[in-house]
Amino acid sequence: QKQDKVVGAECFVDDIPLLPAARITSRRESLSFMNVYHLSSKDLVSNMERPGGSLWKFLCSYFDNELAPTIKSEPTPENATLSSGVQVVTANHFGSTVVETPKHSIVYFYFPSCGHCKQFDTMWHNLGRLVQKMNWSAKFDIMKMDISKNDVRNDRINIRSVPAVYFFRRGDKDVPLEMTLEDNFNFDGDLSLGGLSDPGVVIQWLLEKLDKEELQGLRELATISR
């Protein structure tokens, strides 16, 4: 009986029932991510037994492409830029903060509970400080996104493990580049990103993706910052 009460309590938030509810999951729009569509308990129960009721309308709206998917996103912090210069990205503002900005965007995707991510996180904040020190903040946005709280909805992003890093180059952000550690980095250690501790390796990887003119501009900015 005690267990039943606990389970029953979990079905309510502020006396609003969460169950029963209906959900559709679909990959028809993209193979890279799953779209989720919800029908709340309140809407489902209100006229569930009537012909053409809420569940029927929900299904019809889905097949008629009239439903908007539910996007999981944490609230965007009031101060999204941390003292290290790293910006916190959320799903609701991914487009405006990453894709639509005029700067290069480098995004680190992580799970807070991941041990490798905790180690990598320290390096990532050091990268943000290094970019600030070199006077490159006007050219690069160093970002991170918690994918346990935010959906990643981009056909070009395929996160198979964390930590994962993608580089959205200015002028070519429709084709983000995934960072991988190759032998030509002369990196003595684990070739997964989780074993990376030197932000200079990330800088080297980024610079290899830029043209000569932009590289010259970055050298000049770094010289001014000295």
Side-chain angles (χ1 to χ4, degrees):
Q1 184 177 2
K2 182 178 180 181
Q3 184 178 2
D4 290 342
K5 289 181 179 179
V6 173
V7 172
E10 291 178 347
C11 294
F12 290 82
V13 172
D14 296 331
D15 296 326
I16 300 174
L18 299 179
L19 298 174
R23 182 174 71 171
I24 297 172
T25 58
S26 169
R27 290 191 184 272
R28 69 178 182 180
E29 291 84 0
S30 171
L31 294 177
S32 300
F33 56 84
M34 183 81 74
N35 271 333
V36 180
Y37 305 86
H38 284 102
L39 180 64
S40 69
S41 177
K42 178 182 178 182
D43 293 334
L44 176 62
V45 174
S46 61
N47 58 354
M48 181 171 58
E49 297 180 356
R50 302 177 189 173
S54 56
L55 183 58
W56 174 260
K57 292 178 180 178
F58 177 62
L59 292 172
C60 289
S61 296
Y62 169 75
F63 287 109
D64 290 339
N65 294 314
E66 296 174 350
L67 285 183
T70 302
I71 301 175
K72 180 174 67 175
S73 177
E74 62 181 330
T76 301
E78 189 171 322
N79 186 4
T81 302
L82 306 177
S83 59
S84 62
V86 174
Q87 298 181 38
V88 177
V89 180
T90 62
N92 284 340
H93 295 91
F94 190 89
S96 59
T97 56
V98 177
V99 180
E100 298 170 10
T101 58
K103 296 192 283 184
H104 298 297
S105 302
I106 306 95
V107 187
Y108 147 52
F109 299 94
Y110 70 99
F111 278 107
S113 59
C114 165
H116 281 165
C117 292
K118 292 176 182 178
Q119 176 181 331
F120 189 86
D121 197 74
T122 300
M123 185 282 300
W124 199 251
H125 284 278
N126 287 336
L127 172 65
R129 296 183 186 98
L130 180 58
V131 168
Q132 287 180 324
K133 184 177 181 180
M134 298 178 75
N135 204 26
W136 289 357
S137 298
K139 301 293 183 180
F140 293 97
D141 281 328
I142 310 300
M143 302 171 156
K144 68 177 188 176
M145 181 171 169
D146 178 357
I147 59 174
S148 72
K149 298 178 181 178
N150 297 276
D151 288 338
V152 180
R153 299 173 52 81
N154 188 305
D155 286 330
R156 301 285 185 167
I157 297 176
N158 184 17
I159 299 175
R160 298 174 295 276
S161 63
V162 289
V165 172
Y166 279 81
F167 178 30
F168 295 78
R169 291 181 298 183
R170 183 185 63 186
D172 198 18
K173 293 197 172 186
D174 290 337
V175 188
L177 303 175
E178 182 180 8
M179 182 179 183
T180 57
L181 293 180
E182 306 294 347
D183 291 338
N184 61 352
F185 277 106
N186 296 318
F187 178 56
D188 184 18
D190 183 1
L191 285 178
S192 69
L193 290 186
L196 183 60
S197 59
D198 181 6
V201 175
V202 183
I203 293 291
Q204 177 186 347
W205 181 80
L206 292 173
L207 296 182
E208 290 180 353
K209 312 303 177 187
L210 305 179
D211 57 39
K212 293 182 179 179
E213 182 178 349
E214 190 157 21
L215 287 174
Q216 180 58 36
L218 291 175
R219 292 190 187 98
E220 293 173 359
L221 288 173
T223 301
I224 294 173
S225 68
R226 292 176 182 173

